[in-house]
Amino acid sequence: MRRMKTQMENDKDELLRKLEDYTITESPSISTIRPRSPVQSTRKIPNPDVPTYVKYEIPSNTKCAICEHVFAVFHEHEAVPCRVCDDVFHKDCLMRCGDLTDTDKHNIDKARSNIGWSCPHCANILLLLTTEEVKAMTYLFEKIDFNQDLQISLTEYLHHFSRRCSLTNKRGQLLPAERDRLSRKFKYMDMNKEGKLDWWEFVNHESKLYPADKNKYDLVDLLTKKELCAAKAIFNKMDTDGDGRIREYEVKETFKHWYRNFESQKPSLKTEMVKDSDILDLHASVFTQLVMESNNSQGDVKWEDFILDQALYIICARPNINI
């Protein structure tokens, strides 16, 4: 156990050193990002010209980003593309590199599906944070991990929040509603379903909280060409009349269509929620409201407002998850 703790400390120190190097060598849009007041910016928003569906083909002369060898003979199972960046990998190279988490390995076969797969670099949102923010998460992890076994149990997690008076009763016990909420949150964070949170499961969730404080235009700058094109394809799909604006009824009908399509393709996953047209309509309405809640929305949403509001969610969706 002592060796494990020493290794954990070394991993954290190495991560902090990499982040310090990263802020020097990488682009200013990542290294200099800081929280700013949400004022109107004159910066131009990228507007890729794409259809309502984007399919990426892998060129025949593509090289593996790890071994740098060209894919000699193209096989469906041989190339593993990243859904965020332009890198493509040999599956064997990825498995041997030592950078994949258990979740990355579990989802690697989804790389050629509509879900896609993020490479270790793109899936690591920590690289978008400052050194101070990473240090703050490290301190919080060690504070919650009361017995210092490098894992956070549900008991430790609940005990940490029981110190907040606003979440407890007069006897210092968590309110039932808060206990249930925190337990559900813990279960969501526990991606490998082992009943405990390791360092990477913890930071995978906590690191998503920091981009929410950043300027929306800076977040759009962090999006890759693939992410912008995929978002624009979704926008175009919703813009049924092609006037460059999406309206509530267009968005709602698009979500209904997607739900019905999901039902037809996954008959084994049919539930009362999907079968019931009233509940399907409710879910479509909820997600429509989320899309239409643009700061500048006046009954319709332009592409610029759409991508400014969706950039945070796109970035937070980069890590691979088990579904």
Side-chain angles (χ1 to χ4, degrees), residues 107-118:
N107 291 277
I108 194 170
D109 290 331
K110 297 177 182 178
R112 305 301 300 274
S113 70
N114 291 334
I115 297 175
W117 180 85
S118 298

Side-chain angles (χ1 to χ4, degrees), residues 91-102:
K91 184 175 181 179
D92 290 341
C93 292
L94 284 169
M95 290 301 186
R96 291 195 301 263
C97 72
D99 293 334
L100 301 187
T101 64
D102 291 340

